[in-house]
Amino acid sequence: MEHSNISEEQFDFNAKTKKSLLITLVVGVVLLILGILTVSGSGGHGESDGHALQTIQENNLLVSLDDQPHGDDSHSAGHEEGHHGFHWSQRLMSNIWINNVYFTGLAIIGVFFFAIQYVAQAGWSVPVIRIPSAFGTWLPIAAVLMIISFILFHHDLFHWTHSYLYDESDPRYDKILAGKTWYLSLPFYIVRMVIYFVVWIILARIIRKKSLEEDITGGDTNWFKLVKFSAIFVVFFAVSSSMSAWDWVMSIDPHWFSTMFGWYVFASWFVAGLAAITLTTSILKDKGYLSIVTDNHLHDLGKFIFAFSIFWTYIWFSQFLLIYYANIPEETIYFVERLENALYRPIFFINLILNFFFPFLFLMTRESKRHTIMLKIAAVVILLGHWIDFYLMITPGTLKYNGGFGFMEIGVALIYLSAFLFVVLNSLSKAPLIAKNHPMLKESLHHHI
């Protein structure tokens, strides 16, 4: 295929697509309103929530939770307050935080995937490299949403942000958290968040700019610069991805910690990001775009999803097994809250089914990784599965037994999804879909596995 034909490929972000996104947004808003009315009408609990609470009480879980070494009586007081003073807005805040973390992950993994292709000097991925690059354009919006959400909701989401926990004269003083004030302090927390996003956004914009300049100038000058900036990004991401996981997710349960948690969040982000890249590629291919993408390129994307779904399971099982085997109360509480609650228990096992058993069995064969219809099914299920994974990481810690799953969760997710897709598709429409002057384009044209 001639390069001149490749250079003509550009995504058309037409009115029909925008209308579909608008409909998705409206449906999300309607479901959110229905969810608010439903939760408000049930006094803060749906039927499933009430059943979950009843089951917990029958199993004396509240007693066991109060027996955990949390350092004070604030934990049991928090449960009592959560049951009697729960408001639908707290559930909304939790959902906003889930989607902030999830879609930030999709965006940053897009940049990470782009960067590792250049660091590895890979040629196979040239036809699809512009897709993950477009994901990164969500990062500025993600930064605003994350920072504003934390400033507005931090007391409702993060127990450690209450000042009375660090006052020795207060009966709710928490000795354990007081020992973590060097890290868990509001100013330092916000500074870290700002640093993550500033560096991510700057490097993502530099990388994308150099990639687009390559289309104009040709040669290998920009390619070498891309390798350099991509290496810088990968090194910074290796540190910041784990630290952001500690900050944004693990600190929701401030007495609990896992040395594997940074890897666990990265694995969930990475598989979801790979699924999003594969789904976008498959849809564009079916619509007549990406003419140089072959079954061989799709096969590579499918292998990435298959392999890292197993990697996610390895991290999940390793973390679970170590905590189960040690049986230390301050560690096991994390899984007790998710397994002994009638609401979270089925979701706990659904998470494993969607994120391990399904992709492992569905993508095991060679042919399943070489057809867009199969990859689209796998990608959609995995994207849903890892959203559920983040739901399980965040909701039990923020809402305890006040959590739920219904219209509100679906509505907020659809609102974020429509906004994310609008930004990404708009970015895709601003530049050629194929990096036509990439020095390894010829290698990619002859890629075969």
Side-chain angles (χ1 to χ4, degrees):
M1 180 176 291
E2 295 297 329
H3 287 204
S4 58
N5 294 332
I6 294 173
S7 66
E8 296 172 2
E9 284 199 33
Q10 191 151 346
F11 175 68
D12 178 21
F13 192 23
N14 54 42
K16 182 179 178 181
T17 306
K18 293 177 181 177
K19 183 180 178 181
S20 298
L21 293 179
L22 179 61
I23 292 172
T24 304
L25 176 64
V26 171
V27 170
V29 172
V30 171
L31 290 176
L32 172 58
I33 294 171
L34 286 175
I36 292 172
L37 294 175
T38 302
V39 175
S40 300
S42 61
H45 301 278
E47 292 182 7
S48 60
D49 304 319
H51 179 63
L53 175 59
Q54 181 183 357
T55 302
I56 293 174
Q57 290 172 331
E58 290 173 354
N59 293 332
N60 295 318
L61 180 59
L62 292 181
V63 176
S64 69
L65 290 177
D66 291 339
D67 287 341
Q68 304 303 326
H70 288 294
D72 59 20
D73 295 328
S74 61
H75 189 73
S76 58
H79 276 279
E80 189 69 19
E81 179 184 356
H83 178 44
H84 295 291
F86 176 74
H87 192 267
W88 61 262
S89 61
Q90 293 171 264
R91 187 160 152 184
L92 176 60
M93 294 171 196
S94 179
N95 276 289
I96 288 173
W97 195 254
I98 292 168
N99 288 282
N100 279 344
V101 175
Y102 181 76
F103 285 98
T104 297
L106 293 184
I108 197 61
I109 289 300
V111 183
F112 176 69
F113 182 87
F114 184 97
I116 58 176
Q117 302 309 307
Y118 278 90
V119 171
Q121 301 185 20
W124 73 270
S125 55
V126 174
V128 301
I129 204 71
R130 288 285 162 81
I131 293 171
S133 175
F135 286 7
T137 55
W138 175 256
L139 282 174
I141 297 172
V144 173
L145 291 172
M146 287 287 286
I147 294 169
I148 291 178
S149 297
F150 180 77
I151 292 172
L152 294 177
F153 310 149
H154 59 275
H155 284 320
D156 293 285
L157 298 174
F158 297 90
H159 178 63
W160 61 265
T161 60
H162 295 278
S163 59
Y164 58 73
L165 296 169
Y166 310 99
D167 183 359
E168 294 187 27
S169 63
D170 195 295
R172 296 167 295 182
Y173 171 73
D174 192 316
K175 184 177 180 180
I176 294 175
L177 293 184
K180 299 181 179 182
T181 51
W182 67 273
Y183 190 80
L184 292 180
S185 65
L186 284 175
F188 187 31
Y189 185 99
I190 294 174
V191 166
R192 291 198 303 271
M193 187 184 293
V194 171
I195 291 174
Y196 303 150
F197 277 111
V198 167
V199 177
W200 288 346
I201 291 169
I202 289 175
L203 289 175
R205 287 188 170 179
I206 291 174
I207 290 171
R208 181 169 173 80
K209 180 182 178 182
K210 295 299 178 185
S211 177
L212 297 179
E213 287 178 357
E214 190 176 57
D215 284 350
I216 301 172
T217 61
D220 57 12
T221 301
N222 281 303
W223 184 82
F224 281 113
K225 291 180 180 178
L226 280 164
V227 172
K228 179 181 70 174
F229 284 112
S230 294
I232 294 171
F233 177 86
V234 169
V235 171
F236 181 78
F237 180 75
V239 178
S240 59
S241 61
S242 287
M243 292 185 67
S244 61
W246 305 336
D247 289 353
W248 301 345
V249 185
M250 193 167 72
S251 71
I252 289 172
D253 297 278
H255 293 94
W256 178 83
F257 71 92
S258 166
T259 55
M260 302 182 70
F261 199 77
W263 280 106
Y264 180 75
V265 171
F266 164 74
S268 194
W269 267 351
F270 194 49
V271 179
L274 290 171
I277 294 167
T278 304
L279 179 61
T280 307
T281 301
S282 299
I283 292 173
L284 289 175
K285 179 68 176 174
D286 285 347
K287 289 186 175 296
Y289 298 103
L290 302 177
S291 57
I292 66 172
V293 170
T294 66
D295 293 348
N296 298 298
H297 301 103
L298 295 174
H299 192 169
D300 276 338
L301 290 171
K303 286 193 296 185
F304 264 113
I305 295 176
F306 179 79
F308 281 94
S309 291
I310 297 173
F311 174 72
W312 172 87
T313 311
Y314 164 73
I315 299 296
W316 184 97
F317 184 71
S318 297
Q319 179 175 261
F320 180 84
L321 182 65
L322 290 173
I323 291 174
Y324 173 84
Y325 186 78
N327 198 28
I328 300 172
E330 57 265 32
E331 292 182 358
T332 56
I333 183 61
Y334 182 84
F335 289 104
V336 168
E337 286 181 334
R338 287 154 178 80
L339 279 169
E340 295 297 330
N341 187 313
L343 168 66
Y344 303 127
R345 188 189 304 119
I347 299 176
F348 183 88
F349 292 106
I350 289 171
N351 185 38
L352 279 176
I353 292 170
L354 296 182
N355 294 323
F356 171 60
F357 290 105
F358 174 80
F360 179 75
L361 297 173
F362 191 80
L363 293 175
M364 183 179 290
T365 65
R366 173 182 171 86
E367 289 305 310
S368 65
K369 296 187 282 285
R370 298 177 69 85
H371 298 286
T372 57
I373 182 63
M374 302 291 281
L375 289 174
K376 284 191 286 188
I377 293 171
V380 169
V381 172
I382 290 168
L383 284 167
L384 173 61
H386 284 282
W387 186 94
I388 290 174
D389 191 25
F390 280 98
Y391 172 89
L392 274 176
M393 289 186 224
I394 294 170
T395 303
T398 57
L399 299 179
K400 303 301 179 185
Y401 49 80
N402 289 315
F405 192 90
F407 291 135
M408 187 182 295
E409 284 67 32
I410 299 171
V412 176
L414 288 178
I415 292 170
Y416 270 81
L417 176 64
S418 59
F420 178 80
L421 289 176
F422 183 90
V423 172
V424 170
L425 295 180
N426 185 61
S427 176
L428 277 177
S429 69
K430 301 297 183 183
L433 283 174
I434 306 296
K436 63 179 181 179
N437 285 325
H438 193 291
M440 295 186 181
L441 177 59
K442 187 174 182 179
E443 175 186 335
S444 184
L445 293 173
H446 297 282
H447 178 62
H448 180 75
I449 54 173

